[in-house]
Amino acid sequence: MTLTSDSLEPALSVRQVLTLERVLAGEPEVVAGASHLDRPVRWVHVAEAADVGVMLSGGEMVLTTGVLLAGDEDKQAEYVRSLHRAEAAAVVLGLGRAFPSPPDVMRRAAERCGLPMVVLHRPFPFAELTEEVQSRLVRRKFAAVSLSEAVRTELTALITAGAPLQRLLDEVARHSACPVVVTNLAHRVLGTAGERPAVDDVLRDWERIARQAGGTEGDGWIRAELGGRGERWGRIVLCGYRGDTATGRLLADRAAEALVLHRMLAGAAACSWEEQSAQSLLTDLVSGVVPARQLLPRARAAGLPVNRRTFVPLVVRDGDPVRLERLLRLLGLSGLAAELADGATAVLLSLARDQDADGLTARFATRLRTESGTDRPVVAAAGARAAWDDVPTGLREAQHVADAVADSSAALDLPPVVRLKDVHLRGLIRLLRDDPHVQSFAERELDGLLYEADEDLLSVLRTYLATGRNKSRTAQLHHVSRPALYRRLEAIQVRLGVDLDDFEQAASVHIALLAHDAQQQ
């Protein structure tokens, strides 16, 4: 059976101890420290000695009849102060044997120290309370240890099976029943898990929560550091954990151990968690499966400025995300970069409203070309977007432009930044490539070559049309003589039943060939 946080005995606070049936039989009354009743009770200890504090280690609920304190107000005050110094959870005084009513000296001292003081108005066997609380604490500790081992075993099995980071985080969130967030040391969110609405609530206010998570734990915010060999590189945070703090820390520690192991085994060949985070966000933006508005908290938590900004969507062909991120930092630009598919890398720039979007985009593209040497990567851009909701459309437009020039960058004289207006007919064909009418048109026009499966003739035709029907240039690119080229062009015209010297017929074949090539990608 898999243990979850729901199956654990809840933590016993002073308040919870006072609600136990056996305690209620003693008619408990809180006479001091009422605002500190949520202190956890680690143990129950019966003590009458005035110097009881030296026997405690913190977190104990101390039970006493006060028989050794009666008649000596100094001892009464010192008794309370010694409990406070020992960080006791509370003191419970049984009335009747030494004190018929709550002693004012002890009550005032407890109030000043912030120590919960409870009196029992009816005789009460302390042994029953000790037995009840101790048994509950033992059960709780056993359950916590069992949960810890169950989580460690399950996470280790996932790592051994090669599970991705997200799968591990999902498992941690299932056990903790609260949002789980992994960040780097700059509080940039690298991964999340948990129920989506709850996670979004956390990310929406992440700036404040990050400060809270980096400081003192409280209100269910439990963190564990990630790192090794004396170096920290991140942390995992359980956000709003509702179980007891000790169990939450165990969960966080087991999760941290697993994440460190996962990162160590992945090695340098795997994408960094920062890259995976950016990739997940940009992929979701491009796909449009998740509305942009719902992705805004994730973008903000990932470190992307989103308030009063202008967004420039780019897609770079043959661009390395790590190098592009480095270039963004070098140029002082805010943005995210992540590989999408087929060698394309999405880049989302976030600029201040008064910055020159076109100028900075051109600077980025020019610098990239300069650093790339002879590779000359294609930088496709959509128009700047003033609204976050328009970013997905912009990214798809940039991707469309990049796809349109993917196979023709060598034949076209492209500017550093390629836009929709630069791809002309090729861009339109790319946009319509999945239309059944376009597919039928391409097959009909190229029927004589497609079914003969003569790739050499198709290649010659492609070059001839791309060079504006320049025979000399086509012969040169294919390393054949002009007479040999003429023979191939003649064969093409015979098979297709067209005259390539006729502009309209050549244009029709060219459009069909563009559509055919677009459908193959």
Side-chain angles (χ1 to χ4, degrees), residues 20-70:
L20 296 178
E21 187 174 348
R22 291 185 179 181
V23 179
L24 291 175
E27 297 182 6
E29 178 190 0
V30 179
V31 296
S35 60
H36 300 278
L37 295 181
D38 290 321
R39 287 181 176 180
V41 176
R42 189 182 61 81
W43 208 243
V44 177
H45 190 73
V46 180
E48 302 289 356
D51 60 348
V52 63
V54 299
M55 296 181 282
L56 306 179
S57 57
E60 294 91 351
M61 173 177 277
V62 177
L63 312 180
T64 182
T65 62
V67 292
L68 298 182
L69 303 175

Short mmCIF file of all heavy atoms in Angstrom, two decimals, residues 20-70:
data_model
loop_
_atom_site.label_atom_id
_atom_site.label_comp_id
_atom_site.label_asym_id
_atom_site.label_seq_id
_atom_site.Cartn_x
_atom_site.Cartn_y
_atom_site.Cartn_z
N LEU A 20 -8.37 16.32 23.07
CA LEU A 20 -8.47 14.87 23.25
C LEU A 20 -9.53 14.56 24.32
O LEU A 20 -9.67 15.28 25.31
CB LEU A 20 -7.11 14.30 23.67
CG LEU A 20 -5.97 14.42 22.65
CD1 LEU A 20 -4.69 13.85 23.23
CD2 LEU A 20 -6.33 13.73 21.35
N GLU A 21 -10.23 13.46 24.10
CA GLU A 21 -11.35 13.12 24.99
C GLU A 21 -10.92 12.98 26.45
O GLU A 21 -11.60 13.44 27.37
CB GLU A 21 -12.00 11.82 24.51
CG GLU A 21 -13.27 11.46 25.26
CD GLU A 21 -13.95 10.24 24.66
OE1 GLU A 21 -13.55 9.83 23.55
OE2 GLU A 21 -14.86 9.70 25.31
N ARG A 22 -9.77 12.36 26.67
CA ARG A 22 -9.30 12.18 28.03
C ARG A 22 -8.96 13.51 28.69
O ARG A 22 -9.16 13.68 29.90
CB ARG A 22 -8.07 11.27 28.04
CG ARG A 22 -8.38 9.83 27.66
CD ARG A 22 -7.17 8.95 27.81
NE ARG A 22 -7.47 7.56 27.48
CZ ARG A 22 -6.59 6.57 27.55
NH1 ARG A 22 -5.35 6.81 27.98
NH2 ARG A 22 -6.93 5.35 27.24
N VAL A 23 -8.46 14.45 27.93
CA VAL A 23 -8.11 15.76 28.48
C VAL A 23 -9.38 16.54 28.78
O VAL A 23 -9.48 17.24 29.81
CB VAL A 23 -7.20 16.53 27.51
CG1 VAL A 23 -6.85 17.91 28.08
CG2 VAL A 23 -5.92 15.75 27.24
N LEU A 24 -10.36 16.47 27.90
CA LEU A 24 -11.61 17.20 28.10
C LEU A 24 -12.30 16.77 29.40
O LEU A 24 -13.02 17.56 30.04
CB LEU A 24 -12.55 16.98 26.92
CG LEU A 24 -12.11 17.63 25.60
CD1 LEU A 24 -13.07 17.23 24.48
CD2 LEU A 24 -12.07 19.15 25.74
N ALA A 25 -12.06 15.53 29.80
CA ALA A 25 -12.66 15.04 31.04
C ALA A 25 -12.12 15.80 32.25
O ALA A 25 -12.76 15.86 33.30
CB ALA A 25 -12.38 13.55 31.21
N GLY A 26 -10.94 16.40 32.13
CA GLY A 26 -10.36 17.17 33.22
C GLY A 26 -10.76 18.63 33.20
O GLY A 26 -10.25 19.42 34.01
N GLU A 27 -11.66 19.04 32.28
CA GLU A 27 -12.15 20.41 32.16
C GLU A 27 -10.99 21.41 32.06
O GLU A 27 -10.76 22.23 32.94
CB GLU A 27 -13.06 20.78 33.33
CG GLU A 27 -14.33 19.95 33.40
CD GLU A 27 -15.24 20.37 34.55
OE1 GLU A 27 -14.93 21.38 35.22
OE2 GLU A 27 -16.26 19.69 34.76
N PRO A 28 -10.21 21.33 30.96
CA PRO A 28 -9.05 22.21 30.82
C PRO A 28 -9.47 23.66 30.55
O PRO A 28 -10.49 23.92 29.90
CB PRO A 28 -8.31 21.63 29.62
CG PRO A 28 -9.39 20.98 28.79
CD PRO A 28 -10.37 20.43 29.80
N GLU A 29 -8.66 24.59 31.08
CA GLU A 29 -8.87 26.01 30.82
C GLU A 29 -7.51 26.65 30.53
O GLU A 29 -6.56 26.49 31.31
CB GLU A 29 -9.52 26.70 32.02
CG GLU A 29 -9.70 28.22 31.80
CD GLU A 29 -10.12 28.94 33.07
OE1 GLU A 29 -10.27 28.27 34.12
OE2 GLU A 29 -10.26 30.17 33.01
N VAL A 30 -7.43 27.37 29.42
CA VAL A 30 -6.19 28.07 29.08
C VAL A 30 -6.21 29.41 29.82
O VAL A 30 -7.08 30.25 29.58
CB VAL A 30 -6.08 28.30 27.55
CG1 VAL A 30 -4.80 29.07 27.23
CG2 VAL A 30 -6.12 26.98 26.81
N VAL A 31 -5.23 29.62 30.68
CA VAL A 31 -5.22 30.84 31.48
C VAL A 31 -4.10 31.79 31.06
O VAL A 31 -4.05 32.94 31.52
CB VAL A 31 -5.08 30.51 32.98
CG1 VAL A 31 -6.30 29.73 33.47
CG2 VAL A 31 -3.79 29.75 33.27
N ALA A 32 -3.20 31.35 30.19
CA ALA A 32 -2.11 32.22 29.70
C ALA A 32 -1.59 31.65 28.38
O ALA A 32 -1.69 30.45 28.11
CB ALA A 32 -0.98 32.31 30.72
N GLY A 33 -1.02 32.54 27.56
CA GLY A 33 -0.39 32.10 26.29
C GLY A 33 -1.36 31.54 25.29
O GLY A 33 -0.99 30.67 24.49
N ALA A 34 -2.59 32.04 25.27
CA ALA A 34 -3.60 31.48 24.36
C ALA A 34 -3.24 31.66 22.89
O ALA A 34 -3.71 30.90 22.04
CB ALA A 34 -4.95 32.14 24.64
N SER A 35 -2.40 32.63 22.58
CA SER A 35 -2.03 32.87 21.18
C SER A 35 -0.92 31.93 20.70
O SER A 35 -0.48 32.02 19.55
CB SER A 35 -1.58 34.33 21.00
OG SER A 35 -0.45 34.61 21.81
N HIS A 36 -0.46 31.04 21.59
CA HIS A 36 0.65 30.14 21.21
C HIS A 36 0.23 28.67 21.28
O HIS A 36 1.07 27.79 21.46
CB HIS A 36 1.84 30.38 22.14
CG HIS A 36 2.38 31.78 22.10
ND1 HIS A 36 3.25 32.22 21.13
CD2 HIS A 36 2.13 32.85 22.91
CE1 HIS A 36 3.54 33.49 21.34
NE2 HIS A 36 2.87 33.91 22.41
N LEU A 37 -1.05 28.41 21.11
CA LEU A 37 -1.54 27.04 21.26
C LEU A 37 -1.21 26.14 20.07
O LEU A 37 -1.45 24.93 20.12
CB LEU A 37 -3.05 27.05 21.48
CG LEU A 37 -3.54 27.70 22.78
CD1 LEU A 37 -5.06 27.61 22.85
CD2 LEU A 37 -2.90 27.04 23.99
N ASP A 38 -0.67 26.71 18.99
CA ASP A 38 -0.33 25.88 17.84
C ASP A 38 1.09 25.33 17.91
O ASP A 38 1.58 24.72 16.95
CB ASP A 38 -0.51 26.68 16.54
CG ASP A 38 -1.98 26.96 16.25
OD1 ASP A 38 -2.80 26.05 16.49
OD2 ASP A 38 -2.30 28.07 15.81
N ARG A 39 1.75 25.54 19.03
CA ARG A 39 3.08 24.95 19.20
C ARG A 39 3.00 23.42 19.14
O ARG A 39 2.09 22.81 19.71
CB ARG A 39 3.67 25.35 20.56
CG ARG A 39 4.13 26.79 20.65
CD ARG A 39 4.72 27.04 22.03
NE ARG A 39 5.27 28.37 22.14
CZ ARG A 39 5.85 28.83 23.25
NH1 ARG A 39 5.93 28.06 24.32
NH2 ARG A 39 6.33 30.06 23.28
N PRO A 40 3.96 22.79 18.45
CA PRO A 40 3.93 21.32 18.39
C PRO A 40 4.39 20.70 19.70
O PRO A 40 5.28 21.22 20.38
CB PRO A 40 4.92 21.01 17.25
CG PRO A 40 5.85 22.18 17.22
CD PRO A 40 5.03 23.37 17.61
N VAL A 41 3.75 19.61 20.05
CA VAL A 41 4.11 18.87 21.26
C VAL A 41 4.96 17.66 20.84
O VAL A 41 4.48 16.77 20.15
CB VAL A 41 2.85 18.40 22.01
CG1 VAL A 41 3.23 17.54 23.22
CG2 VAL A 41 2.02 19.59 22.45
N ARG A 42 6.22 17.68 21.27
CA ARG A 42 7.12 16.58 20.91
C ARG A 42 7.06 15.43 21.91
O ARG A 42 7.31 14.27 21.57
CB ARG A 42 8.55 17.13 20.84
CG ARG A 42 9.58 16.16 20.26
CD ARG A 42 10.97 16.76 20.27
NE ARG A 42 11.41 17.08 21.62
CZ ARG A 42 11.93 16.20 22.47
NH1 ARG A 42 12.05 14.93 22.11
NH2 ARG A 42 12.30 16.56 23.68
N TRP A 43 6.71 15.75 23.17
CA TRP A 43 6.68 14.72 24.21
C TRP A 43 5.86 15.25 25.39
O TRP A 43 5.59 16.45 25.48
CB TRP A 43 8.11 14.40 24.68
CG TRP A 43 8.28 12.99 25.20
CD1 TRP A 43 8.62 12.64 26.48
CD2 TRP A 43 8.15 11.77 24.49
NE1 TRP A 43 8.70 11.28 26.61
CE2 TRP A 43 8.41 10.69 25.38
CE3 TRP A 43 7.81 11.45 23.17
CZ2 TRP A 43 8.35 9.37 25.02
CZ3 TRP A 43 7.76 10.13 22.79
CH2 TRP A 43 8.03 9.10 23.71
N VAL A 44 5.45 14.37 26.29
CA VAL A 44 4.75 14.76 27.51
C VAL A 44 5.61 14.34 28.70
O VAL A 44 6.11 13.20 28.74
CB VAL A 44 3.36 14.10 27.60
CG1 VAL A 44 2.68 14.49 28.92
CG2 VAL A 44 2.50 14.54 26.43
N HIS A 45 5.78 15.27 29.64
CA HIS A 45 6.69 15.02 30.74
C HIS A 45 6.03 15.45 32.06
O HIS A 45 5.51 16.56 32.16
CB HIS A 45 7.98 15.82 30.53
CG HIS A 45 9.09 15.48 31.46
ND1 HIS A 45 9.81 14.31 31.36
CD2 HIS A 45 9.61 16.16 32.52
CE1 HIS A 45 10.74 14.29 32.31
NE2 HIS A 45 10.63 15.39 33.04
N VAL A 46 6.02 14.57 33.05
CA VAL A 46 5.48 14.89 34.37
C VAL A 46 6.65 15.34 35.25
O VAL A 46 7.63 14.60 35.40
CB VAL A 46 4.77 13.69 35.00
CG1 VAL A 46 4.22 14.06 36.38
CG2 VAL A 46 3.65 13.21 34.09
N ALA A 47 6.55 16.55 35.84
CA ALA A 47 7.66 17.07 36.64
C ALA A 47 7.14 18.01 37.71
O ALA A 47 6.28 18.85 37.45
CB ALA A 47 8.66 17.79 35.74
N GLU A 48 7.67 17.87 38.91
CA GLU A 48 7.29 18.73 40.02
C GLU A 48 8.45 19.64 40.45
O GLU A 48 8.23 20.68 41.06
CB GLU A 48 6.86 17.87 41.22
CG GLU A 48 5.71 16.94 40.95
CD GLU A 48 4.38 17.67 40.79
OE1 GLU A 48 4.35 18.91 40.94
OE2 GLU A 48 3.38 17.01 40.47
N ALA A 49 9.69 19.27 40.15
CA ALA A 49 10.86 20.02 40.62
C ALA A 49 10.86 21.44 40.06
O ALA A 49 10.47 21.67 38.91
CB ALA A 49 12.14 19.30 40.21
N ALA A 50 11.32 22.37 40.87
CA ALA A 50 11.34 23.78 40.45
C ALA A 50 12.32 24.02 39.32
O ALA A 50 12.13 24.94 38.51
CB ALA A 50 11.69 24.67 41.65
N ASP A 51 13.39 23.22 39.27
CA ASP A 51 14.39 23.40 38.21
C ASP A 51 14.17 22.42 37.07
O ASP A 51 15.12 21.89 36.48
CB ASP A 51 15.79 23.26 38.78
CG ASP A 51 16.01 21.89 39.40
OD1 ASP A 51 15.00 21.16 39.59
OD2 ASP A 51 17.16 21.54 39.70
N VAL A 52 12.91 22.17 36.72
CA VAL A 52 12.58 21.16 35.69
C VAL A 52 13.20 21.48 34.34
O VAL A 52 13.45 20.58 33.54
CB VAL A 52 11.04 21.06 35.57
CG1 VAL A 52 10.45 22.37 35.10
CG2 VAL A 52 10.65 19.93 34.63
N GLY A 53 13.48 22.75 34.08
CA GLY A 53 14.00 23.13 32.76
C GLY A 53 15.26 22.41 32.36
O GLY A 53 15.49 22.14 31.17
N VAL A 54 16.11 22.06 33.33
CA VAL A 54 17.38 21.41 32.99
C VAL A 54 17.16 19.99 32.49
O VAL A 54 18.07 19.38 31.92
CB VAL A 54 18.32 21.40 34.22
CG1 VAL A 54 18.64 22.81 34.66
CG2 VAL A 54 17.71 20.60 35.38
N MET A 55 15.97 19.44 32.69
CA MET A 55 15.69 18.06 32.26
C MET A 55 14.98 18.00 30.91
O MET A 55 14.64 16.93 30.43
CB MET A 55 14.82 17.37 33.32
CG MET A 55 15.50 17.20 34.67
SD MET A 55 14.43 16.36 35.87
CE MET A 55 13.33 17.71 36.34
N LEU A 56 14.75 19.17 30.30
CA LEU A 56 13.99 19.21 29.05
C LEU A 56 14.89 19.52 27.86
O LEU A 56 15.98 20.09 28.00
CB LEU A 56 12.89 20.28 29.15
CG LEU A 56 11.93 20.17 30.34
CD1 LEU A 56 10.92 21.30 30.31
CD2 LEU A 56 11.23 18.81 30.35
N SER A 57 14.42 19.13 26.69
CA SER A 57 15.18 19.42 25.46
C SER A 57 14.37 20.21 24.46
O SER A 57 14.82 20.46 23.35
CB SER A 57 15.64 18.10 24.83
OG SER A 57 14.53 17.26 24.55
N GLY A 58 13.15 20.61 24.84
CA GLY A 58 12.33 21.43 23.96
C GLY A 58 11.15 20.68 23.38
O GLY A 58 11.27 19.51 22.99
N GLY A 59 10.00 21.35 23.34
CA GLY A 59 8.81 20.76 22.74
C GLY A 59 7.99 19.91 23.68
O GLY A 59 7.01 19.30 23.26
N GLU A 60 8.36 19.84 24.95
CA GLU A 60 7.59 19.01 25.88
C GLU A 60 6.37 19.77 26.42
O GLU A 60 6.41 20.97 26.65
CB GLU A 60 8.46 18.59 27.08
CG GLU A 60 9.62 17.68 26.73
CD GLU A 60 10.88 18.44 26.40
OE1 GLU A 60 10.82 19.70 26.28
OE2 GLU A 60 11.93 17.80 26.27
N MET A 61 5.30 19.01 26.66
CA MET A 61 4.18 19.51 27.45
C MET A 61 4.39 18.98 28.87
O MET A 61 4.42 17.76 29.09
CB MET A 61 2.84 19.01 26.87
CG MET A 61 1.64 19.37 27.76
SD MET A 61 0.07 18.85 27.03
CE MET A 61 -0.27 20.22 25.93
N VAL A 62 4.58 19.90 29.81
CA VAL A 62 4.93 19.52 31.18
C VAL A 62 3.67 19.49 32.04
O VAL A 62 2.90 20.46 32.07
CB VAL A 62 5.96 20.52 31.76
CG1 VAL A 62 6.27 20.15 33.22
CG2 VAL A 62 7.25 20.50 30.93
N LEU A 63 3.46 18.37 32.75
CA LEU A 63 2.32 18.19 33.64
C LEU A 63 2.80 18.29 35.09
O LEU A 63 3.82 17.67 35.46
CB LEU A 63 1.67 16.83 33.41
CG LEU A 63 1.38 16.42 31.95
CD1 LEU A 63 0.74 15.04 31.92
CD2 LEU A 63 0.50 17.45 31.28
N THR A 64 2.08 19.04 35.90
CA THR A 64 2.48 19.20 37.30
C THR A 64 1.26 19.46 38.19
O THR A 64 0.25 19.99 37.72
CB THR A 64 3.48 20.37 37.45
OG1 THR A 64 3.89 20.46 38.83
CG2 THR A 64 2.85 21.68 37.02
N THR A 65 1.38 19.05 39.48
CA THR A 65 0.35 19.40 40.47
C THR A 65 0.79 20.63 41.27
O THR A 65 -0.02 21.21 41.99
CB THR A 65 0.11 18.23 41.44
OG1 THR A 65 1.33 17.95 42.14
CG2 THR A 65 -0.36 17.00 40.68
N GLY A 66 2.07 21.00 41.16
CA GLY A 66 2.57 22.18 41.87
C GLY A 66 2.81 21.96 43.35
O GLY A 66 2.96 22.95 44.09
N VAL A 67 2.89 20.71 43.81
CA VAL A 67 3.03 20.45 45.25
C VAL A 67 4.33 21.04 45.81
O VAL A 67 4.39 21.40 46.99
CB VAL A 67 2.95 18.94 45.55
CG1 VAL A 67 1.56 18.43 45.28
CG2 VAL A 67 3.99 18.18 44.74
N LEU A 68 5.38 21.13 45.00
CA LEU A 68 6.66 21.66 45.48
C LEU A 68 6.76 23.16 45.28
O LEU A 68 7.79 23.75 45.60
CB LEU A 68 7.82 20.95 44.77
CG LEU A 68 7.92 19.44 44.99
CD1 LEU A 68 9.14 18.88 44.27
CD2 LEU A 68 7.97 19.10 46.47
N LEU A 69 5.70 23.74 44.71
CA LEU A 69 5.74 25.18 44.44
C LEU A 69 4.82 25.97 45.35
O LEU A 69 4.94 27.21 45.45
CB LEU A 69 5.33 25.44 42.98
CG LEU A 69 6.15 24.73 41.90
CD1 LEU A 69 5.53 25.02 40.53
CD2 LEU A 69 7.60 25.16 41.94
N ALA A 70 3.92 25.30 46.02
CA ALA A 70 2.92 26.00 46.84
C ALA A 70 3.59 26.81 47.95
O ALA A 70 4.53 26.35 48.61
CB ALA A 70 1.94 24.99 47.44
#
